[in-house]
Amino acid sequence: MNNQKDLAILVGVDYYKHEQLLTLQDSLSELALLANTAHIQIAGTLTQKMDSPNPNTFIGSGKVEELKSLVEETTANLVIFDDELLPRHQRELEEILGNNTLVLDRTGLILDIFALHARTSEGYLQVKLAQYEYRLPRLTRAWTHLARQAGGSSGRTGGVGGVGLRGPGETQLEVDRREIRKNISNLKKELEKVSEHRSRYREQRRKSHIPIVALVGYTNAGKSTLLNQLAGSDVYVADQLFATLDPTTRKVSLSNGQAILLTDTVGFIQKLPTQLVAAFRATLEEISEADLLLHVVDVTHPNAIVQAKSVLQTLEEINAGNIPVITALNKIDLLIDPKAIEISLKNIPNALPISAIDNIGLGELLKAIETTLISTFNKIRVLLPYKEGNLISIFHEFGHVEAVEHTENGTLIEGRIPAEYKDKYLPFLLGRTRK
């Protein structure tokens, strides 16, 4: 990849009739951070207010001419839109701009970043599938000769490779489309194996009956740093967007002796590409099957509340909206005005201020995790015969014992037990528990 040649114009649209999470300027600032993460330099920006996208070029014809002049003036070789473009938008714009100017949208840029950061075979497969499915309807003559995309001079949006020979009457475009469809089919088969492996792994974890706590949050909120502090591990950390793609799980002990499995997951972002949600299905299932979500928020970010709302929206979209959530307001060590914490605490329920890097508030956070997990258990009161020593051990190991008494007929235990164990204790239940 020759990053020195990557110079981009950013284009953003403000819609009169559509309410957006971020203001246009804030969204473009985020797009600039994404571009920097992909080693792209910013040559300028262009904005427009409009009711709805132009069906051919997304922005109006006058703005297209303005964009063309800006590209020529800055010698930019990339134009990046802060929205997802239709294939025809990209084709029309590239034809008008000419000079081999490549038009990307927010989705294409995020896919590019994911390609840069994929460190495991699973992450690589997921990103490749998302890239191919994104690219297939966008193939034009400008996008053929696929070396341009993978391992070529630009490296934008990944690569294909292995293009076969043309059959009778086939154009290069048809060959490329056929090759991409074949690659999509092969990748889906490979990812199905990954999904099955993850399912078996999750089933093994379930059999261990150790609660799973998934770290979620906006990209670069500090999830990996928090995992490292709580688990004493060395997960890769970088001050950049999407530094972590692959889920990492570590065992952490709570103050009551109970163990939990803490899982770091890929960061969220507004306008998360649908291709990524589909390709990272196996990874996102780590979130939807957790017992508790630990939502990490960068409290120093000017759009912290909006970012938190974006994460909660995404959780709803992946069917994880009904899982209990604890929010950690991270990076309080960087706050100049302590009142900012109070504002965030008022706007975000069930939140605790912490600094993962300085180990501030982590004891209180672990206690909150412990308390929340216990609250999800079933409260029971049982008289267990002494011969049922296994059930007594399970209660002590995986439940929360509030009272215990050794009687003539067995061990009387009152407390809370995870839902998956309740059936084992049904024959020994004693009326109502004490308040």
Side-chain angles (χ1 to χ4, degrees), residues 44-105:
T45 60
L46 186 77
T47 62
Q48 182 174 23
K49 279 183 173 286
M50 56 199 310
D51 289 321
S52 58
N54 182 294
N56 296 317
T57 54
F58 196 79
I59 53 177
S61 57
K63 281 291 177 182
V64 172
E65 289 304 314
E66 192 178 332
L67 176 61
K68 185 175 182 180
S69 298
L70 190 56
V71 167
E72 291 172 353
E73 178 187 328
T74 60
T75 67
N77 67 317
L78 290 171
V79 174
I80 307 174
F81 279 72
D82 192 30
D83 287 280
E84 185 165 338
L85 300 178
L86 295 175
R88 68 171 178 271
H89 292 145
Q90 288 178 290
R91 287 194 293 267
E92 289 286 335
L93 287 165
E94 287 185 347
E95 188 170 329
I96 294 170
L97 295 174
N99 297 321
N100 292 317
T101 304
L102 183 62
V103 175
L104 287 177
D105 58 12

Side-chain angles (χ1 to χ4, degrees), residues 317-329:
E317 291 169 8
I318 63 173
N319 300 317
N322 61 336
I323 302 174
V325 178
I326 293 175
T327 302
L329 303 179

Side-chain angles (χ1 to χ4, degrees), residues 413-430:
I413 303 180
E414 185 171 339
R416 294 179 180 271
I417 198 77
E420 61 262 35
Y421 289 109
K422 187 176 180 182
D423 288 349
K424 295 179 181 290
Y425 294 91
L426 289 178
F428 311 105
L429 286 178
L430 290 178

Side-chain angles (χ1 to χ4, degrees), residues 260-408:
I260 61 170
L261 293 175
L262 194 59
T263 298
D264 189 12
T265 60
V266 63
F268 295 160
I269 198 167
Q270 63 144 353
K271 305 176 187 176
L272 189 67
T274 53
Q275 287 91 347
L276 285 181
V277 174
F280 278 71
R281 176 172 56 88
T283 302
L284 294 174
E285 283 172 357
E286 295 288 326
I287 297 173
S288 59
E289 298 206 7
D291 298 289
L292 175 66
L293 302 180
L294 183 50
H295 180 190
V296 183
V297 176
D298 177 0
V299 74
T300 68
H301 198 285
N303 293 309
I305 304 299
V306 175
Q307 290 184 349
K309 288 180 179 177
S310 177
V311 170
L312 295 177
Q313 282 183 7
T314 305
L315 291 175
E316 290 285 349
E317 291 169 8
I318 63 173
N319 300 317
N322 61 336
I323 302 174
V325 178
I326 293 175
T327 302
L329 303 179
N330 192 26
K331 306 186 184 182
I332 61 171
D333 55 298
L334 300 178
L335 283 177
I336 298 174
D337 183 8
K339 290 183 180 178
I341 299 178
E342 297 176 15
I343 295 170
S344 296
L345 288 171
K346 287 179 182 177
N347 286 279
I348 303 176
N350 203 19
L352 294 169
I354 69 161
S355 168
I357 200 164
D358 284 347
N359 200 9
I360 299 172
L362 300 194
E364 291 83 354
L365 182 62
L366 286 172
K367 188 63 181 175
I369 292 173
E370 179 184 318
T371 302
T372 305
L373 284 174
I374 290 172
S375 71
T376 66
F377 293 176
N378 288 291
K379 191 169 179 63
I380 60 173
R381 185 166 175 255
V382 291
L383 180 62
L384 300 173
Y386 289 115
K387 65 179 181 180
E388 298 290 345
N390 183 49
L391 290 181
I392 297 172
S393 298
I394 288 175
F395 209 130
H396 280 279
E397 186 173 358
F398 300 109
H400 178 68
V401 176
E402 296 172 357
V404 62
E405 181 183 345
H406 299 287
T407 71
E408 183 179 335

Side-chain angles (χ1 to χ4, degrees), residues 132 146 159-165 175-176 179-180 182-183:
Y132 284 136
L146 297 167
V160 178
V163 177
L165 297 175
V175 172
D176 289 344
E179 189 67 20
I180 286 182
K182 187 173 105 177
N183 277 290

